[in-house]
Amino acid sequence: MALHRLTSVTIGVPNVAETAAYYADFGLTPVGDGSFATVDGGQQLRLVHAPVRRLVAMVVGADDQDDIDRTAAQLRALDLPAVRQDGALVTEEPVAGFRATVTVSARMTQPEVPATPYNGPGRLERPNVRAPGIIRTGPVRPRKLGHVVVGTTGLEATTRFFTAGLGFKTSDYIGDKGAFMRCSTDHHNVLALAAPVSFLHHTSWQVDDVDEIGRGASAMLAGHPDRHVWVLGRHHAGSNFFWYLKDPAGNFSEYYSDMDCILDDQLWTPEALEGARGLFNWGPPPPPSFLHPDDLAAMMTGAHAAR
């Protein structure tokens, strides 16, 4: 695949300072100018001021200038903008209007983290010691930005922008309501969902294992129960463990671990997941606010007023 990772996202929020404090608590490292870094991915989040919360921009990594040229041709074939800026390619998603930049960048190589030892029937991986997850004391630090989920009023156009335009691969579908797409070996780096208004649903951040998900979420909720959205479970699409929280602007953020990885496109067959499988495999069902965020009506009103 010519594309190889979701490098960073820029999110617009009306309350930058308050939201920045949340992402510092979440485990991202402030690096100045409203930007935050992960352990392995470097600077991967920037917060900027906006009247309403929204995805402002994303950056996608490519291997070389031939990949940039190919992407430019694909975008122009769809009558979409493809502007060269300092060797990068800048375009705009046609429905929600966020900026997408494709730039040549080095592939991210994550150092191997030893597998967490688990005891099981007839299998003692951890004799005579307590589980690592209960003796860890340091703060949870996300390893990398995994994916972003956007609601769109034009699912077909948004999906075409990412696949036929930028060159993402489709991994799975949520019936006719969503498309999981990847620009790396991760199962998905973007999920586009049909919605009554275009908006940012959530960003997702990789941690080492399910214990780090639990530890991170528990620390985030201590003294801040209003941050809670959807407790621990495992998705069907992507297979990852998850826990969702909410930032002060209303965007959801997800801790995840154990995502499916697709190394050979020929060995993966996309499925159309129906019903609950489109959302989760096990765990409590999502709360209504996960499917229809509390500020959705206000965003719809604002979108209509802006026309």
Side-chain angles (χ1 to χ4, degrees):
M1 177 182 285
L3 306 179
H4 58 78
R5 69 168 170 142
L6 177 61
T7 304
S8 66
V9 292
T10 299
I11 301 174
V13 296
N15 49 347
V16 174
E18 186 182 9
T19 305
Y22 169 93
Y23 284 102
D25 288 349
F26 191 77
L28 303 182
T29 301
V31 293
D33 193 30
S35 297
F36 295 82
T38 58
V39 173
D40 298 331
Q43 191 272 310
Q44 296 203 277
L45 172 66
R46 187 181 181 204
L47 300 175
V48 297
H49 183 268
V52 295
R53 65 182 185 90
R54 60 183 294 261
L55 178 64
V56 173
M58 66 169 57
V59 180
V60 177
D63 281 328
D64 52 44
Q65 282 297 325
D66 287 344
D67 301 328
I68 301 289
D69 293 342
R70 188 180 308 109
T71 303
Q74 292 168 176
L75 289 166
R76 293 189 181 109
L78 298 176
D79 293 324
L80 293 172
V83 179
R84 298 296 185 104
Q85 292 183 3
D86 299 324
L89 182 69
V90 181
T91 185
E92 184 176 287
E93 191 275 338
V95 182
F98 55 81
R99 184 173 66 255
T101 300
V102 182
T103 185
V104 174
S105 62
R107 292 188 174 235
M108 181 173 61
T109 301
Q110 292 186 280
E112 182 177 345
V113 175
T116 304
Y118 290 102
N119 291 334
R123 187 189 75 253
L124 297 182
E125 297 180 358
R126 197 189 66 249
N128 308 315
V129 294
R130 301 185 192 279
I134 70 167
I135 60 176
R136 295 171 185 161
T137 58
V140 171
R141 299 294 186 197
R143 293 282 178 173
K144 69 174 183 178
L145 170 65
H147 59 268
V148 61
V149 176
V150 293
T152 171
T153 58
L155 179 60
E156 183 178 350
T158 297
T159 301
R160 184 170 60 250
F161 168 77
F162 279 106
T163 55
L166 295 184
F168 281 51
K169 305 289 186 181
T170 304
S171 299
D172 283 311
Y173 300 92
I174 302 176
D176 60 354
K177 302 298 183 184
F180 294 90
M181 296 168 285
R182 66 186 187 276
C183 61
S184 72
T185 57
D186 287 347
H187 176 272
H188 58 285
N189 302 107
V190 171
L191 166 59
L193 290 170
V197 65
S198 295
F199 72 105
L200 172 63
H201 188 275
H202 74 264
T203 56
S204 186
W205 305 86
Q206 183 195 53
V207 294
D208 288 354
D209 56 28
V210 68
D211 281 302
E212 293 298 87
I213 292 176
R215 290 199 323 114
S218 295
M220 288 292 288
L221 295 175
H224 299 278
D226 55 307
R227 292 172 169 176
H228 175 68
V229 177
W230 190 8
V231 75
L232 180 67
R234 191 190 266 273
H235 285 304
H236 191 94
S239 302
N240 53 292
F241 295 108
F242 65 79
W243 195 319
Y244 290 90
L245 303 158
K246 182 171 66 174
D247 75 23
N251 305 296
F252 300 148
S253 57
E254 176 191 13
Y255 288 121
Y256 83 88
S257 68
D258 193 25
M259 175 74 71
D260 287 338
C261 289
I262 302 170
L263 302 182
D264 188 336
D265 295 338
Q266 302 302 314
L267 299 180
W268 185 271
T269 303
E271 293 184 40
L273 306 172
E274 303 291 347
R277 287 206 314 162
L279 292 168
F280 68 113
N281 185 278
W282 61 257
S289 63
F290 183 81
L291 302 176
H292 300 282
D294 295 336
D295 60 350
L296 195 61
M299 286 191 289
M300 292 173 64
T301 300
H304 287 299
R307 291 176 181 173

